[in-house]
Amino acid sequence: MKALKLFLLLPIIALCFGCGGEKSANQATRFGTGGTGGMYYAYGSELAKMIQAEDSSHALDVKTTAGSAANLRLLREQFLDLAIVQSDTLSNAVNGRGIFAAAGPGVGYAAVAGLYTEACQIIVDKNSGITEVGDLVGKKVSVGERESGVLQNAEQILMSHGLTFEMLEVSYLSFADSAAALERGEIDAFFVTAGAPTAAVAELATKKEIQILSIAPDIQSNMMRLYKGYTRCTIPANTYAGQTEEISTIGVKAVLVASTDLKEDEVTYLTEFIFKNAENLPHNTTDKLTNEYAVQDIPASFHAGAAKFYESQGVKVNVYSGASSESVKASQD
């Protein structure tokens, strides 16, 4: 009887083990993005649709996730094959810093390309009386999902203004849920780190008058000096409905990373496809994807498949060798 029960359970056990872990030979490439209201998801979904139309043998299976930190963990645990992550979060993972300290330096994934700049956006109700970061004290604020890069950005922006989470009423919501909560008046503000325009923010701006807070130049300079991965960033006027002035803030680079187990020719195809179709993929309109942009200031070594593409363009990059490394050099030959 015990043998019979075990026999009957075997298909169920096999199915459960097939739900995660290593990718099977005929399985679509698992692509970790973010929440449905952000640009990671929009980028991944559009890329998957375009690849499917050109060559279904390179199909992508787009996954919604909590964001950058979750994506890097899922890559390391072999539940994802590809993912988009923030450059600052990638730097911490590669070097085993911050929330990645316990796991140690990141191995098992490598860079493919820097895609576009993500703006750190702080969205408030235009009629809330909140005009600067310091006004968030005592307010109800969504600081991003747990295991998201947004959460780290929110904490560092607040700290740079002399604030902590303990001085706010914080919640941990996705972009879409944050926008819905602000629309209902349940929160006063929320943080977003994403390419602008961000879908959730753009939709909210058509329903409610919002304001995006600027970050003062001296604060930007301090953050760039203290934390790796930040850059100055401008959100042009009229990016969102009712936004008549440009917003000065900080940003990070969105980086496509791949499992080092993903086949070299698959990554070469993907890298070439992204460059060929860059203008038709969601991106920050102030950036243009070039070889230089894709490889500069990337805090990880590159996948051999991506390196093969760059070499064909006369660009040399450090290739992942199985160890963590933040020193990445690129040169035009």
Side-chain angles (χ1 to χ4, degrees):
M1 180 61 72
K2 288 183 179 178
L4 177 60
K5 286 181 179 178
L6 179 60
F7 177 79
L8 292 172
L9 283 170
L10 282 175
I12 299 172
I13 294 170
L15 178 63
C16 290
F17 275 94
C19 293
E22 294 186 12
K23 172 178 177 265
S24 63
N26 59 352
Q27 184 180 355
T29 299
R30 301 162 299 184
F31 190 176
T33 57
T36 56
M39 194 172 281
Y40 287 4
Y41 181 78
Y43 189 101
S45 297
E46 186 62 25
L47 179 62
K49 184 172 72 174
M50 293 170 69
I51 287 178
Q52 181 68 29
E54 178 178 285
D55 186 350
S56 60
S57 68
H58 295 282
L60 300 179
D61 180 12
V62 177
K63 307 287 189 183
T64 58
T65 72
S68 296
N71 284 344
L72 289 163
R73 175 177 60 78
L74 292 168
L75 275 167
R76 188 167 187 160
E77 295 172 357
Q78 298 185 307
F79 284 91
L80 292 176
D81 309 299
L82 284 170
I84 307 178
V85 302
Q86 293 179 198
S87 56
D88 56 331
T89 308
L90 179 60
S91 176
N92 283 343
V94 165
N95 292 281
R97 294 192 302 251
I99 64 171
F100 300 97
V107 293
Y109 45 79
V112 176
L115 302 176
Y116 55 82
T117 300
E118 303 184 72
C120 294
Q121 306 167 64
I122 309 166
I123 295 89
V124 303
D125 184 330
K126 193 169 185 178
N127 300 312
S128 66
I130 300 171
T131 60
E132 57 185 36
V133 176
D135 295 333
L136 295 175
V137 173
K139 301 297 185 182
K140 297 177 181 177
V141 183
S142 173
V143 293
E145 292 187 85
R146 299 184 190 276
E147 282 200 290
S148 70
V150 185
L151 184 63
Q152 175 179 274
N153 299 147
E155 183 174 31
Q156 292 173 346
I157 290 170
L158 290 169
M159 288 175 62
S160 297
H161 288 82
L163 307 181
T164 65
F165 282 175
E166 288 71 26
M167 300 168 72
L168 286 59
E169 292 186 42
V170 301
S171 54
Y172 304 90
L173 304 176
S174 68
F175 295 172
D177 288 343
S178 292
L182 187 71
E183 183 184 0
R184 294 191 298 263
E186 295 171 357
I187 60 174
D188 301 300
F190 66 96
F191 284 79
V192 163
T193 300
T198 307
V201 180
E203 183 178 351
L204 175 63
T206 65
K207 301 174 181 178
K208 188 181 188 75
E209 285 190 309
I210 62 170
Q211 181 177 347
I212 302 172
L213 304 184
S214 284
I215 296 175
D218 60 327
I219 299 292
Q220 294 177 29
S221 297
N222 288 339
M223 292 190 67
M224 291 165 61
R225 184 170 60 252
L226 288 171
Y227 309 112
K228 289 184 179 294
Y230 284 118
T231 184
R232 298 188 193 277
C233 183
T234 298
I235 302 174
N238 303 310
T239 297
Y240 297 110
Q243 179 218 334
T244 57
E245 298 180 355
E246 71 175 26
I247 306 300
S248 179
T249 184
I250 53 171
V252 294
K253 189 173 283 190
V255 183
L256 181 64
V257 293
S259 165
T260 51
D261 289 334
L262 197 56
K263 292 182 179 178
E264 184 176 320
D265 59 351
E266 184 73 20
V267 177
T268 302
Y269 168 84
L270 182 68
T271 311
E272 183 176 0
F273 188 93
I274 285 171
F275 272 86
K276 184 172 65 176
N277 296 280
E279 288 303 309
N280 297 317
L281 288 164
H283 61 285
N284 184 335
T285 54
T286 60
D287 294 324
K288 182 175 177 60
L289 184 63
T290 63
N291 292 326
E292 293 84 359
Y293 183 88
V295 302
Q296 283 177 354
D297 300 319
I298 304 299
S301 297
F302 283 78
H303 192 287
K308 184 176 180 180
F309 167 80
Y310 293 123
E311 186 174 358
S312 73
Q313 305 299 306
V315 178
K316 292 181 179 179
V317 296
N318 284 357
V319 181
Y320 178 85
S321 62
S324 171
S325 172
E326 190 174 354
S327 177
V328 179
K329 298 182 178 67
S331 62
Q332 290 274 4
D333 285 351

